[in-house]
Amino acid sequence: MTEGQERTGQDAIYEQNMQIEDIQSDETANKEELQADTESAVPEVQISEEIKELRICRLFVTWPKLFFGLTLGGHCLAIFTSTILYIAGYDILPIDFSAVPLNLEDDPTKLRADAWKFASESDAVTLSSSAVSGSAQRIVRYQGLELVYESQEKNMLTKTTLKRIQTLENELQNNKIWNEKLCMLGPTQTCRKPTSILRFFDGTYQSLHEDLFDPNFDNILHVLVTAQSLNTTRSTLAYHLGKDAAIDNLTQTAQSKYTRSLMNIAWPLDGFNSTLNQKEEQTEKSDSLTIDAFADKLKRTYTKGLPGIKFYYYNRAIYVNEIQLQFPLTAARRIDLRNLLGFARRRKLFLGRAISTMRRPHPRTLHKNK
């Protein structure tokens, strides 16, 4: 091979290498340009979105009254539609506080549990149950109606206030539904009197001490001091007095800003063999009778009040019924709800007094006292 041929071959190889380097450099440049274009495109998209947002804000700023009118009109339309539906009798907000939410009546698991739970309530299941064997009517306490009196002159233990309490409680006891269907019956099949501070004056406890009888409230201090001195009546007296009450013969003091009474509603009702017999139907009937007998009377008494006395009351059936009636709220019903909530706050006023005088008797045992 000659020297000229060698040079020609080297030149060819050199030219090929140069072409390869040019191609690689072009590819690198293209990749860099493509990457630069991609990176520059992202801010452009973000900028376009920001421009759209600014345009929306510009619309609100440019025509604020128009957009305010549109939103206000939408709210008014919703209120107007709800009003029309309410007038037409449509139940806009169907709420039932008397039952557990999502009560799946046909769920197999619930039905099996109910079959076991309520087996003793039906004579078709258990012939030897107490539901079939029966018991006397209205001898078991079902629930209570609690009456609370607050003196505006800081003392409920005066002749005037006790007479006013006596008048109100006599009116409640004379209710026909109470006497015939709700009251707890004694051994003589007559209605037991409410558990009240009045029982220390009307002769109910006279068999325990002859001084526990003062129907005209002429010797209030002596009667209450006597009741406080007896082990049998001391805790019962404490139940009726506020925590700051003072009964002291040395200082001739008989004072309590609060007092309360308890009317026991009993079952089984007429037509039922026992408290287990058709329990759900029996409780619904008892609650309905309680509402019919006392709700309106107690509502009027609370609204008008007693002279010199603030009056509060509580009963579970009436409480649940008032909550159900709060939809929609009216002025009268708001008063009832405030009464019930206010009563719950005032119950704590009795706790300190009950603890400081031996023990507070449980309401379910109060009817056992003579």
Side-chain angles (χ1 to χ4, degrees):
M1 182 180 294
T2 63
E3 183 178 354
Q5 291 176 343
E6 290 178 357
R7 289 180 178 177
T8 302
Q10 292 177 355
D11 292 340
I13 293 172
Y14 177 76
E15 290 178 356
Q16 290 178 357
N17 291 335
M18 290 296 293
Q19 290 177 357
I20 292 172
E21 290 178 356
D22 291 340
I23 292 172
Q24 290 178 348
S25 62
D26 291 340
E27 291 178 352
T28 303
N30 291 334
K31 290 181 179 179
E32 291 177 353
E33 291 178 358
L34 180 61
Q35 184 176 1
D37 293 340
T38 304
E39 292 176 353
S40 63
V42 174
E44 290 179 358
V45 174
Q46 294 177 350
I47 292 172
S48 63
E49 292 179 353
E50 292 177 356
I51 291 174
K52 290 180 181 179
E53 294 177 356
L54 290 174
R55 287 176 181 174
I56 295 174
C57 295
R58 185 179 298 174
L59 290 175
F60 282 104
V61 173
T62 306
W63 295 288
K65 294 182 179 180
L66 174 62
F67 283 97
F68 175 77
L70 291 175
T71 54
L72 180 62
H75 285 82
C76 293
L77 179 62
I79 295 173
F80 178 75
T81 304
S82 300
T83 304
I84 295 298
L85 292 174
Y86 174 72
I87 295 175
Y90 183 80
D91 192 3
I92 301 173
L93 189 63
I95 297 178
D96 183 10
F97 285 97
S98 63
V100 178
L102 301 178
N103 195 4
L104 305 178
E105 297 294 342
D106 298 328
D107 180 67
T109 303
K110 178 184 180 300
L111 293 176
R112 284 195 297 270
D114 288 349
W116 175 263
K117 181 178 179 181
F118 302 112
S120 61
E121 296 187 16
S122 173
D123 54 357
V125 179
T126 309
L127 295 177
S128 61
S129 67
S130 59
V132 181
S133 59
S135 62
Q137 301 296 314
R138 305 201 326 258
I139 62 170
V140 180
R141 182 183 185 275
Y142 167 57
Q143 63 178 338
L145 170 60
E146 200 162 0
L147 313 174
V148 178
Y149 310 91
E150 177 184 358
S151 174
Q152 296 179 348
E153 299 176 357
K154 298 185 178 181
N155 190 13
M156 287 297 305
L157 305 179
T158 65
K159 183 174 183 177
T160 303
T161 54
L162 291 178
K163 281 186 174 294
R164 288 169 181 166
I165 293 174
Q166 186 179 51
T167 300
L168 174 62
E169 294 186 1
N170 286 342
E171 292 176 357
L172 296 176
Q173 291 179 77
N174 291 332
N175 183 279
K176 184 177 180 180
I177 298 177
W178 166 259
N179 282 312
E180 296 181 358
K181 300 180 180 181
L182 292 175
C183 71
M184 180 175 288
L185 299 177
T188 60
Q189 293 299 300
T190 57
C191 289
R192 292 180 180 270
K193 295 181 179 180
T195 302
S196 171
I197 197 170
L198 301 177
R199 303 289 82 82
F200 295 105
F201 299 90
D202 65 1
T204 301
Y205 297 102
Q206 192 175 12
S207 60
L208 301 177
H209 197 288
E210 59 181 7
D211 291 341
L212 296 180
F213 181 68
D214 183 20
N216 296 320
F217 308 107
D218 294 325
N219 200 358
I220 296 174
L221 175 61
H222 181 68
V223 170
L224 296 180
V225 168
T226 302
Q228 193 176 49
S229 65
L230 299 176
N231 293 332
T232 309
T233 57
R234 184 182 298 117
S235 60
T236 305
L237 176 62
Y239 174 83
H240 298 294
L241 302 179
K243 67 177 183 179
D244 297 325
I247 307 295
D248 192 341
N249 195 31
L250 295 178
T251 59
Q252 294 292 296
T253 302
Q255 184 173 347
S256 177
K257 187 177 181 180
Y258 302 90
T259 187
R260 62 177 169 180
S261 301
L262 179 67
M263 299 179 68
N264 288 308
I265 298 169
W267 65 344
L269 302 178
D270 296 339
F272 299 91
N273 292 329
S274 75
T275 58
L276 296 176
N277 182 228
Q278 303 179 41
K279 188 174 182 179
E280 184 174 351
E281 291 81 357
Q282 194 171 178
T283 55
E284 290 180 358
K285 182 177 180 180
S286 179
D287 291 346
S288 178
L289 290 172
T290 302
I291 294 168
D292 293 340
F294 297 119
D296 291 339
K297 171 65 177 178
L298 295 174
K299 184 186 303 182
R300 290 194 302 269
T301 304
Y302 170 77
T303 304
K304 296 180 181 179
L306 299 173
I309 301 173
K310 293 182 180 180
F311 173 72
Y312 310 93
Y313 62 94
Y314 175 78
N315 171 264
R316 180 181 54 80
I318 297 176
Y319 179 82
V320 173
N321 182 65
E322 289 298 332
I323 291 178
Q324 290 178 309
L325 295 177
Q326 299 307 313
F327 301 95
L329 284 172
T330 64
R333 290 169 183 169
R334 281 195 294 269
I335 291 175
D336 297 331
L337 187 59
R338 286 199 302 269
N339 164 36
L340 294 169
L341 296 178
F343 172 81
R345 290 194 297 268
R346 284 168 175 80
R347 293 191 69 171
K348 63 183 181 181
L349 297 170
F350 297 90
L351 298 180
R353 177 65 180 179
I355 294 174
S356 64
T357 54
M358 295 182 64
R359 64 179 182 87
R360 175 180 179 269
H362 194 281
R364 293 186 178 179
T365 64
L366 292 175
H367 69 274
K368 296 181 180 179
N369 295 325
K370 294 183 179 181

PDB file of all heavy atoms in Angstrom, residues 313-334:
ATOM      1  N   TYR A 313     -91.280  22.060  86.527  1.00  0.00           N
ATOM      2  CA  TYR A 313     -91.761  20.681  86.579  1.00  0.00           C
ATOM      3  C   TYR A 313     -90.957  19.820  85.625  1.00  0.00           C
ATOM      4  O   TYR A 313     -90.325  20.315  84.693  1.00  0.00           O
ATOM      5  CB  TYR A 313     -93.248  20.604  86.213  1.00  0.00           C
ATOM      6  CG  TYR A 313     -93.579  21.063  84.811  1.00  0.00           C
ATOM      7  CD1 TYR A 313     -93.667  20.158  83.752  1.00  0.00           C
ATOM      8  CD2 TYR A 313     -93.809  22.409  84.535  1.00  0.00           C
ATOM      9  CE1 TYR A 313     -93.970  20.582  82.469  1.00  0.00           C
ATOM     10  CE2 TYR A 313     -94.116  22.833  83.259  1.00  0.00           C
ATOM     11  CZ  TYR A 313     -94.198  21.918  82.229  1.00  0.00           C
ATOM     12  OH  TYR A 313     -94.490  22.336  80.951  1.00  0.00           O
ATOM     13  N   TYR A 314     -90.985  18.503  85.874  1.00  0.00           N
ATOM     14  CA  TYR A 314     -90.292  17.572  84.983  1.00  0.00           C
ATOM     15  C   TYR A 314     -91.002  16.228  84.975  1.00  0.00           C
ATOM     16  O   TYR A 314     -91.359  15.687  86.025  1.00  0.00           O
ATOM     17  CB  TYR A 314     -88.843  17.350  85.413  1.00  0.00           C
ATOM     18  CG  TYR A 314     -88.154  16.299  84.570  1.00  0.00           C
ATOM     19  CD1 TYR A 314     -87.690  16.604  83.299  1.00  0.00           C
ATOM     20  CD2 TYR A 314     -88.002  14.997  85.035  1.00  0.00           C
ATOM     21  CE1 TYR A 314     -87.084  15.646  82.510  1.00  0.00           C
ATOM     22  CE2 TYR A 314     -87.400  14.030  84.256  1.00  0.00           C
ATOM     23  CZ  TYR A 314     -86.937  14.361  82.991  1.00  0.00           C
ATOM     24  OH  TYR A 314     -86.346  13.408  82.212  1.00  0.00           O
ATOM     25  N   ASN A 315     -91.193  15.727  83.779  1.00  0.00           N
ATOM     26  CA  ASN A 315     -91.670  14.362  83.569  1.00  0.00           C
ATOM     27  C   ASN A 315     -91.098  13.888  82.241  1.00  0.00           C
ATOM     28  O   ASN A 315     -91.090  14.640  81.262  1.00  0.00           O
ATOM     29  CB  ASN A 315     -93.201  14.315  83.548  1.00  0.00           C
ATOM     30  CG  ASN A 315     -93.734  12.959  83.115  1.00  0.00           C
ATOM     31  OD1 ASN A 315     -94.047  12.768  81.942  1.00  0.00           O
ATOM     32  ND2 ASN A 315     -93.827  12.026  84.041  1.00  0.00           N
ATOM     33  N   ARG A 316     -90.616  12.673  82.200  1.00  0.00           N
ATOM     34  CA  ARG A 316     -89.932  12.198  81.003  1.00  0.00           C
ATOM     35  C   ARG A 316     -90.844  12.210  79.781  1.00  0.00           C
ATOM     36  O   ARG A 316     -90.439  12.633  78.696  1.00  0.00           O
ATOM     37  CB  ARG A 316     -89.405  10.769  81.227  1.00  0.00           C
ATOM     38  CG  ARG A 316     -88.665  10.201  80.021  1.00  0.00           C
ATOM     39  CD  ARG A 316     -88.211   8.785  80.304  1.00  0.00           C
ATOM     40  NE  ARG A 316     -89.320   7.947  80.721  1.00  0.00           N
ATOM     41  CZ  ARG A 316     -90.196   7.407  79.871  1.00  0.00           C
ATOM     42  NH1 ARG A 316     -90.107   7.633  78.579  1.00  0.00           N
ATOM     43  NH2 ARG A 316     -91.173   6.642  80.319  1.00  0.00           N
ATOM     44  N   ALA A 317     -92.085  11.763  79.922  1.00  0.00           N
ATOM     45  CA  ALA A 317     -92.999  11.723  78.783  1.00  0.00           C
ATOM     46  C   ALA A 317     -93.291  13.130  78.265  1.00  0.00           C
ATOM     47  O   ALA A 317     -93.290  13.378  77.053  1.00  0.00           O
ATOM     48  CB  ALA A 317     -94.295  11.020  79.180  1.00  0.00           C
ATOM     49  N   ILE A 318     -93.536  14.069  79.185  1.00  0.00           N
ATOM     50  CA  ILE A 318     -93.798  15.451  78.782  1.00  0.00           C
ATOM     51  C   ILE A 318     -92.550  16.065  78.167  1.00  0.00           C
ATOM     52  O   ILE A 318     -92.621  16.823  77.188  1.00  0.00           O
ATOM     53  CB  ILE A 318     -94.280  16.272  79.989  1.00  0.00           C
ATOM     54  CG1 ILE A 318     -95.609  15.706  80.509  1.00  0.00           C
ATOM     55  CG2 ILE A 318     -94.440  17.738  79.630  1.00  0.00           C
ATOM     56  CD1 ILE A 318     -96.121  16.391  81.760  1.00  0.00           C
ATOM     57  N   TYR A 319     -91.390  15.727  78.715  1.00  0.00           N
ATOM     58  CA  TYR A 319     -90.120  16.250  78.196  1.00  0.00           C
ATOM     59  C   TYR A 319     -89.906  15.823  76.746  1.00  0.00           C
ATOM     60  O   TYR A 319     -89.603  16.644  75.877  1.00  0.00           O
ATOM     61  CB  TYR A 319     -88.990  15.741  79.081  1.00  0.00           C
ATOM     62  CG  TYR A 319     -87.609  16.187  78.657  1.00  0.00           C
ATOM     63  CD1 TYR A 319     -87.124  17.434  79.013  1.00  0.00           C
ATOM     64  CD2 TYR A 319     -86.789  15.354  77.908  1.00  0.00           C
ATOM     65  CE1 TYR A 319     -85.860  17.847  78.639  1.00  0.00           C
ATOM     66  CE2 TYR A 319     -85.528  15.754  77.523  1.00  0.00           C
ATOM     67  CZ  TYR A 319     -85.066  17.002  77.892  1.00  0.00           C
ATOM     68  OH  TYR A 319     -83.824  17.396  77.500  1.00  0.00           O
ATOM     69  N   VAL A 320     -90.083  14.529  76.468  1.00  0.00           N
ATOM     70  CA  VAL A 320     -89.898  14.025  75.101  1.00  0.00           C
ATOM     71  C   VAL A 320     -90.932  14.637  74.164  1.00  0.00           C
ATOM     72  O   VAL A 320     -90.623  15.022  73.030  1.00  0.00           O
ATOM     73  CB  VAL A 320     -89.989  12.489  75.083  1.00  0.00           C
ATOM     74  CG1 VAL A 320     -89.981  11.961  73.648  1.00  0.00           C
ATOM     75  CG2 VAL A 320     -88.835  11.877  75.866  1.00  0.00           C
ATOM     76  N   ASN A 321     -92.157  14.759  74.645  1.00  0.00           N
ATOM     77  CA  ASN A 321     -93.211  15.340  73.813  1.00  0.00           C
ATOM     78  C   ASN A 321     -92.906  16.791  73.458  1.00  0.00           C
ATOM     79  O   ASN A 321     -93.117  17.223  72.317  1.00  0.00           O
ATOM     80  CB  ASN A 321     -94.546  15.253  74.554  1.00  0.00           C
ATOM     81  CG  ASN A 321     -95.701  15.799  73.735  1.00  0.00           C
ATOM     82  OD1 ASN A 321     -96.058  15.254  72.696  1.00  0.00           O
ATOM     83  ND2 ASN A 321     -96.293  16.890  74.203  1.00  0.00           N
ATOM     84  N   GLU A 322     -92.391  17.558  74.412  1.00  0.00           N
ATOM     85  CA  GLU A 322     -92.074  18.959  74.142  1.00  0.00           C
ATOM     86  C   GLU A 322     -90.930  19.086  73.138  1.00  0.00           C
ATOM     87  O   GLU A 322     -90.931  19.984  72.300  1.00  0.00           O
ATOM     88  CB  GLU A 322     -91.704  19.677  75.444  1.00  0.00           C
ATOM     89  CG  GLU A 322     -92.877  19.900  76.378  1.00  0.00           C
ATOM     90  CD  GLU A 322     -93.947  20.778  75.754  1.00  0.00           C
ATOM     91  OE1 GLU A 322     -93.607  21.607  74.894  1.00  0.00           O
ATOM     92  OE2 GLU A 322     -95.119  20.628  76.108  1.00  0.00           O
ATOM     93  N   ILE A 323     -89.958  18.184  73.206  1.00  0.00           N
ATOM     94  CA  ILE A 323     -88.861  18.223  72.234  1.00  0.00           C
ATOM     95  C   ILE A 323     -89.390  17.937  70.830  1.00  0.00           C
ATOM     96  O   ILE A 323     -89.007  18.592  69.858  1.00  0.00           O
ATOM     97  CB  ILE A 323     -87.769  17.210  72.619  1.00  0.00           C
ATOM     98  CG1 ILE A 323     -87.062  17.662  73.897  1.00  0.00           C
ATOM     99  CG2 ILE A 323     -86.756  17.049  71.491  1.00  0.00           C
ATOM    100  CD1 ILE A 323     -86.001  16.711  74.379  1.00  0.00           C
ATOM    101  N   GLN A 324     -90.292  16.974  70.724  1.00  0.00           N
ATOM    102  CA  GLN A 324     -90.864  16.660  69.419  1.00  0.00           C
ATOM    103  C   GLN A 324     -91.655  17.829  68.856  1.00  0.00           C
ATOM    104  O   GLN A 324     -91.717  18.015  67.643  1.00  0.00           O
ATOM    105  CB  GLN A 324     -91.770  15.432  69.538  1.00  0.00           C
ATOM    106  CG  GLN A 324     -91.007  14.140  69.793  1.00  0.00           C
ATOM    107  CD  GLN A 324     -91.935  12.954  69.965  1.00  0.00           C
ATOM    108  OE1 GLN A 324     -92.875  12.995  70.758  1.00  0.00           O
ATOM    109  NE2 GLN A 324     -91.687  11.906  69.217  1.00  0.00           N
ATOM    110  N   LEU A 325     -92.245  18.627  69.730  1.00  0.00           N
ATOM    111  CA  LEU A 325     -93.054  19.757  69.281  1.00  0.00           C
ATOM    112  C   LEU A 325     -92.217  20.983  68.941  1.00  0.00           C
ATOM    113  O   LEU A 325     -92.764  21.985  68.496  1.00  0.00           O
ATOM    114  CB  LEU A 325     -94.069  20.135  70.369  1.00  0.00           C
ATOM    115  CG  LEU A 325     -95.143  19.087  70.678  1.00  0.00           C
ATOM    116  CD1 LEU A 325     -96.031  19.566  71.814  1.00  0.00           C
ATOM    117  CD2 LEU A 325     -95.983  18.789  69.444  1.00  0.00           C
ATOM    118  N   GLN A 326     -90.907  20.918  69.125  1.00  0.00           N
ATOM    119  CA  GLN A 326     -90.066  22.083  68.858  1.00  0.00           C
ATOM    120  C   GLN A 326     -89.797  22.284  67.372  1.00  0.00           C
ATOM    121  O   GLN A 326     -89.120  23.229  66.989  1.00  0.00           O
ATOM    122  CB  GLN A 326     -88.728  21.962  69.590  1.00  0.00           C
ATOM    123  CG  GLN A 326     -88.857  21.882  71.099  1.00  0.00           C
ATOM    124  CD  GLN A 326     -89.674  23.017  71.683  1.00  0.00           C
ATOM    125  OE1 GLN A 326     -89.470  24.168  71.334  1.00  0.00           O
ATOM    126  NE2 GLN A 326     -90.597  22.693  72.561  1.00  0.00           N
ATOM    127  N   PHE A 327     -90.293  21.437  66.515  1.00  0.00           N
ATOM    128  CA  PHE A 327     -90.060  21.553  65.072  1.00  0.00           C
ATOM    129  C   PHE A 327     -91.381  21.780  64.365  1.00  0.00           C
ATOM    130  O   PHE A 327     -92.187  20.862  64.232  1.00  0.00           O
ATOM    131  CB  PHE A 327     -89.395  20.283  64.539  1.00  0.00           C
ATOM    132  CG  PHE A 327     -88.094  19.999  65.186  1.00  0.00           C
ATOM    133  CD1 PHE A 327     -88.017  19.148  66.269  1.00  0.00           C
ATOM    134  CD2 PHE A 327     -86.941  20.596  64.725  1.00  0.00           C
ATOM    135  CE1 PHE A 327     -86.809  18.876  66.877  1.00  0.00           C
ATOM    136  CE2 PHE A 327     -85.732  20.337  65.328  1.00  0.00           C
ATOM    137  CZ  PHE A 327     -85.659  19.481  66.398  1.00  0.00           C
ATOM    138  N   PRO A 328     -91.676  23.001  63.844  1.00  0.00           N
ATOM    139  CA  PRO A 328     -90.846  24.191  64.027  1.00  0.00           C
ATOM    140  C   PRO A 328     -91.094  24.826  65.382  1.00  0.00           C
ATOM    141  O   PRO A 328     -92.118  24.598  65.998  1.00  0.00           O
ATOM    142  CB  PRO A 328     -91.321  25.110  62.906  1.00  0.00           C
ATOM    143  CG  PRO A 328     -92.756  24.753  62.755  1.00  0.00           C
ATOM    144  CD  PRO A 328     -92.846  23.258  62.998  1.00  0.00           C
ATOM    145  N   LEU A 329     -90.163  25.652  65.859  1.00  0.00           N
ATOM    146  CA  LEU A 329     -90.279  26.301  67.156  1.00  0.00           C
ATOM    147  C   LEU A 329     -91.309  27.422  67.111  1.00  0.00           C
ATOM    148  O   LEU A 329     -91.406  28.162  66.145  1.00  0.00           O
ATOM    149  CB  LEU A 329     -88.935  26.883  67.581  1.00  0.00           C
ATOM    150  CG  LEU A 329     -87.897  25.883  68.099  1.00  0.00           C
ATOM    151  CD1 LEU A 329     -86.573  26.591  68.281  1.00  0.00           C
ATOM    152  CD2 LEU A 329     -88.333  25.267  69.399  1.00  0.00           C
ATOM    153  N   THR A 330     -92.073  27.532  68.158  1.00  0.00           N
ATOM    154  CA  THR A 330     -92.949  28.679  68.341  1.00  0.00           C
ATOM    155  C   THR A 330     -92.603  29.316  69.676  1.00  0.00           C
ATOM    156  O   THR A 330     -91.887  28.737  70.486  1.00  0.00           O
ATOM    157  CB  THR A 330     -94.432  28.262  68.337  1.00  0.00           C
ATOM    158  OG1 THR A 330     -94.670  27.405  69.457  1.00  0.00           O
ATOM    159  CG2 THR A 330     -94.788  27.532  67.050  1.00  0.00           C
ATOM    160  N   ALA A 331     -93.123  30.498  69.904  1.00  0.00           N
ATOM    161  CA  ALA A 331     -92.784  31.210  71.141  1.00  0.00           C
ATOM    162  C   ALA A 331     -93.214  30.422  72.368  1.00  0.00           C
ATOM    163  O   ALA A 331     -92.471  30.283  73.334  1.00  0.00           O
ATOM    164  CB  ALA A 331     -93.442  32.586  71.138  1.00  0.00           C
ATOM    165  N   ALA A 332     -94.431  29.872  72.338  1.00  0.00           N
ATOM    166  CA  ALA A 332     -94.934  29.129  73.500  1.00  0.00           C
ATOM    167  C   ALA A 332     -94.105  27.892  73.758  1.00  0.00           C
ATOM    168  O   ALA A 332     -93.802  27.544  74.893  1.00  0.00           O
ATOM    169  CB  ALA A 332     -96.399  28.745  73.279  1.00  0.00           C
ATOM    170  N   ARG A 333     -93.702  27.197  72.690  1.00  0.00           N
ATOM    171  CA  ARG A 333     -92.938  25.970  72.868  1.00  0.00           C
ATOM    172  C   ARG A 333     -91.527  26.267  73.325  1.00  0.00           C
ATOM    173  O   ARG A 333     -90.911  25.479  74.026  1.00  0.00           O
ATOM    174  CB  ARG A 333     -92.938  25.178  71.567  1.00  0.00           C
ATOM    175  CG  ARG A 333     -94.318  24.589  71.259  1.00  0.00           C
ATOM    176  CD  ARG A 333     -94.397  24.037  69.864  1.00  0.00           C
ATOM    177  NE  ARG A 333     -95.739  23.549  69.574  1.00  0.00           N
ATOM    178  CZ  ARG A 333     -96.147  23.200  68.367  1.00  0.00           C
ATOM    179  NH1 ARG A 333     -95.333  23.296  67.343  1.00  0.00           N
ATOM    180  NH2 ARG A 333     -97.375  22.768  68.173  1.00  0.00           N
ATOM    181  N   ARG A 334     -90.973  27.404  72.917  1.00  0.00           N
ATOM    182  CA  ARG A 334     -89.651  27.777  73.410  1.00  0.00           C
ATOM    183  C   ARG A 334     -89.686  28.001  74.914  1.00  0.00           C
ATOM    184  O   ARG A 334     -88.751  27.681  75.633  1.00  0.00           O
ATOM    185  CB  ARG A 334     -89.154  29.035  72.687  1.00  0.00           C
ATOM    186  CG  ARG A 334     -88.593  28.766  71.302  1.00  0.00           C
ATOM    187  CD  ARG A 334     -87.804  29.967  70.816  1.00  0.00           C
ATOM    188  NE  ARG A 334     -88.647  31.119  70.602  1.00  0.00           N
ATOM    189  CZ  ARG A 334     -89.226  31.404  69.441  1.00  0.00           C
ATOM    190  NH1 ARG A 334     -89.052  30.616  68.409  1.00  0.00           N
ATOM    191  NH2 ARG A 334     -89.973  32.477  69.313  1.00  0.00           N
TER     192      ARG A 334
END
